[in-house]
Amino acid sequence: MSQDYNNPAFKKLLKKLQEESWQLELLISGFAIFGLFSAYDPLKVAIIEATNDGIIHQAIIAQVAWFSCIILLFNLLLHVLLRGLWIGALGLRYVSGDIDYEELNYSLKFTTYLKKKVGSFDRYIGRLENYCSIIFAVSFLLIFYVLALTFTILVMVLTIEYIVSNENLPEWIRNFLGIPLIIFVVLGLLLTFIDFVSQGWLKKKQWLSKIYFPFYLVFSTITLSFLYRPIVYNFLDNKFGKRLSLILFPIFILVIIMTSLNHNFSNYFNERNSSTNYITSDNNYEDLVLKNEELFIDDAAIQSKIISGSYVKVYVKFSESIEDNIFEFNEGLKPEKDIRGITSDIKIGFNHASNNSGNSRKHLDSLRTDYLRTFNKVYSVEIDTLKFVSDFVVNKNALGFETYLPTESLSSGKHVLSVKYKTIKEKDTLEKNMISILFWYYPN
């Protein structure tokens, strides 16, 4: 088929498909809009959940998907609106034909002006057709632009993390390989952005094009531009496409800014405030989190805002910073190889040495016991000024630490539960407050 693109029969088929493409456009737009509206809220929840859990790669993927969702929704809704207008104009043309300016009986001044500015009704239909086709094509192209920016930033982050900041590599490799790579990526990103915004200005200047060419070759792979480059150049060789590309870029910046806007009702308090000894947050009460799928536990939680039973359940959510802090106080727990991060359940090979396996399991149990003992030394709970002996255990399902505190010594009314932790700074041990949670105790 790739050899048939010059075949007259193939060109005739393409022309026929072009003329009937509006039906496919509307069909795809309709299904896509339905799917995007269904995905919008779950993607926002996924961003909040991943950010709350500290899973950076998952948060980035969800953020990119959410931005793509916004861009596609805006473009496809605009496309459906204009395509509907186009279909209405076609129907009106069938009934009324072209615009008869003489029939309107306007003054000479207005008739001359309208003939010049409005012109033929067929020209109006043709322009609507152009708008619809280009907006539909550019909708999916813009998603590749979002991916291009994401992959470029990802390359920068990975270069810094695995080369420049990697203490396992010799310093001369980090300096002579890592730093030039970062400079190349940053400079390449800047040049690619300038070339994109200026619609190929760097490619037009003889001496600049020679400097830019190596960056262009590398970034065409990083940004996946080899997949959509023909569409881009087809836009740029068309005056109308050029103009629309320039208009759409600031529009999408504006749309993204608008989606981030919030209304503040107070100069002092808003929904982003953390829980303190005078501010409550629904994210710190398990019963409220279970009722609302958009809420996630923030650092720690108790079972309810109003306690009436004989105990308070305290849950501390696990995070990598907690484990790093435990390593500071117990260096013997720090493994030679850190296996935190993305892992696979696929295991290669089998261990037939049952005795060694048993010894390994006993050793791991010993380390886990030591880990929990260290956690209970570092992390503690207070209610008001009453400090409790830490006796946390691990909850493997909702990964974290939990303990139960008696309420028999508490008076009726408001109380503040504080989770505190020790940290080492410049060889000094300091105690800090992780979170304060308000609750009211009214016994049955």
Side-chain angles (χ1 to χ4, degrees):
M1 190 69 180
S2 60
Q3 303 299 321
D4 295 341
Y5 62 89
N6 285 321
N7 191 312
F10 182 68
K11 290 184 178 294
K12 187 177 179 181
L13 174 65
L14 283 180
K15 188 174 181 181
K16 185 180 178 183
L17 289 172
Q18 282 174 215
E19 291 170 355
E20 298 176 357
S21 65
W22 65 271
Q23 300 171 44
L24 286 174
E25 286 177 18
L26 279 176
L27 189 67
I28 293 169
S29 293
F31 279 111
I33 288 168
F34 175 77
L36 291 167
F37 270 119
S38 301
Y40 184 84
D41 286 334
L43 284 173
K44 284 190 75 174
V45 172
I47 294 168
I48 297 166
E49 183 179 9
T51 305
N52 198 278
D53 292 340
I55 308 173
I56 304 302
H57 68 276
Q58 191 173 315
I60 291 170
I61 292 169
Q63 191 80 51
V64 170
W66 187 64
F67 279 141
S68 302
C69 185
I70 292 171
I71 290 169
L72 275 177
L73 269 175
F74 177 82
N75 258 35
L76 294 178
L77 284 170
L78 182 61
H79 168 259
V80 169
L81 181 68
L82 291 179
R83 189 56 86 177
L85 189 61
W86 175 77
I87 292 170
L90 282 176
L92 183 61
R93 185 185 182 280
Y94 175 76
V95 173
S96 185
D98 207 342
I99 301 171
D100 189 348
Y101 290 102
E102 306 304 324
E103 184 68 26
L104 293 173
N105 200 26
Y106 291 157
S107 67
L108 181 62
K109 185 176 181 63
F110 268 99
T111 301
T112 306
Y113 176 81
L114 291 174
K115 280 183 178 180
K116 183 180 178 183
K117 290 295 180 181
V118 177
S120 166
F121 194 61
D122 289 354
R123 189 184 75 166
Y124 171 72
I125 293 172
R127 288 173 67 184
L128 274 180
E129 167 66 23
N130 289 340
Y131 277 116
C132 293
S133 297
I134 288 179
I135 287 172
F136 184 79
V138 85
S139 299
F140 298 94
L141 181 62
L142 286 166
I143 304 306
F144 280 104
Y145 287 158
V146 173
L147 290 174
L149 181 61
T150 304
F151 289 145
T152 305
I153 294 170
L154 189 62
V155 167
M156 290 173 61
V157 170
L158 292 176
T159 304
I160 292 169
E161 185 175 346
Y162 289 101
I163 299 178
V164 178
S165 302
N166 190 351
E167 295 181 358
N168 295 322
L169 291 175
E171 191 173 347
W172 67 271
I173 292 180
R174 288 156 56 189
N175 291 336
F176 290 100
L177 178 63
I179 293 173
L181 267 175
I182 287 294
I183 293 170
F184 180 86
V185 172
V186 172
L187 190 58
L189 176 62
L190 183 64
L191 290 174
T192 304
F193 180 74
I194 291 169
D195 191 61
F196 167 72
V197 172
S198 63
Q199 297 184 341
W201 182 75
L202 294 179
K203 298 187 191 82
K204 297 174 184 177
K205 304 296 177 183
Q206 288 295 331
W207 65 276
L208 273 176
S209 64
K210 291 177 182 178
I211 297 170
Y212 176 55
F213 189 69
F215 294 97
Y216 175 80
L217 290 178
V218 173
F219 273 78
S220 67
T221 303
I222 294 173
T223 60
L224 305 180
S225 67
F226 57 88
L227 293 174
Y228 54 87
R229 195 182 292 147
I231 299 175
V232 175
Y233 292 139
N234 209 326
F235 269 120
L236 296 180
D237 72 357
N238 181 284
K239 188 177 179 181
F240 180 73
K242 265 187 178 182
R243 198 177 302 161
L244 188 64
S245 298
L246 283 173
I247 294 169
L248 282 175
F249 186 73
I251 285 176
F252 283 116
I253 298 295
L254 184 63
V255 168
I256 290 169
I257 291 171
M258 287 178 68
T259 57
S260 67
L261 295 178
N262 292 296
H263 183 82
N264 282 336
F265 293 95
S266 169
N267 288 298
Y268 301 98
F269 303 104
N270 58 57
E271 292 179 351
R272 294 182 294 278
N273 290 135
S274 300
S275 177
T276 67
N277 58 357
Y278 57 87
I279 297 174
T280 66
S281 170
D282 289 353
N283 299 79
N284 300 122
Y285 307 100
E286 288 184 337
D287 58 341
L288 297 179
V289 170
L290 288 171
K291 287 178 184 176
N292 189 342
E293 63 179 14
E294 294 187 12
L295 290 179
F296 301 95
I297 291 174
D298 182 18
D299 291 332
I302 61 176
Q303 72 266 41
S304 180
K305 194 177 288 189
I306 298 173
I307 305 294
S308 58
S310 59
Y311 64 87
V312 179
K313 177 190 174 184
V314 183
Y315 169 80
V316 177
K317 190 179 70 174
F318 188 86
S319 68
E320 290 189 13
S321 61
I322 287 178
E323 187 154 295
D324 291 336
N325 199 31
I326 288 172
F327 291 162
E328 288 287 328
F329 284 89
N330 191 339
E331 292 185 1
L333 288 169
K334 191 171 185 178
E336 291 182 9
K337 184 180 179 182
D338 197 328
I339 60 170
R340 290 178 293 181
I342 300 172
T343 59
S344 173
D345 290 332
I346 299 171
K347 305 295 180 187
I348 300 174
F350 300 93
N351 186 0
H352 298 289
S354 58
N355 288 336
N356 289 342
S357 178
N359 292 333
S360 176
R361 193 178 294 113
K362 286 179 181 177
H363 179 63
L364 184 58
D365 285 341
S366 174
L367 289 174
R368 285 171 174 166
T369 304
D370 195 19
Y371 187 106
L372 196 56
R373 190 185 301 116
T374 306
F375 179 85
N376 281 309
K377 286 180 181 177
V378 176
Y379 291 80
S380 61
V381 182
E382 294 180 5
I383 295 180
D384 301 328
T385 57
L386 179 63
K387 192 162 188 172
F388 290 83
V389 176
S390 291
D391 191 21
F392 283 93
V393 296
V394 174
N395 184 328
K396 72 165 190 175
N397 296 320
L399 190 57
F401 307 88
E402 65 182 27
T403 190
Y404 295 81
L405 308 177
T407 58
E408 57 190 19
S409 59
L410 300 180
S411 60
S412 296
K414 185 179 78 170
H415 296 276
V416 180
L417 183 145
S418 301
V419 179
K420 297 183 179 292
Y421 68 100
K422 295 173 184 174
T423 184
I424 297 173
K425 188 173 183 181
E426 297 177 357
K427 297 183 179 180
D428 292 329
T429 302
L430 306 173
E431 187 173 63
K432 293 186 176 182
N433 191 57
M434 175 192 279
I435 195 165
S436 294
I437 303 173
L438 281 169
F439 72 94
W440 283 259
Y441 175 60
Y442 294 107
N444 290 326

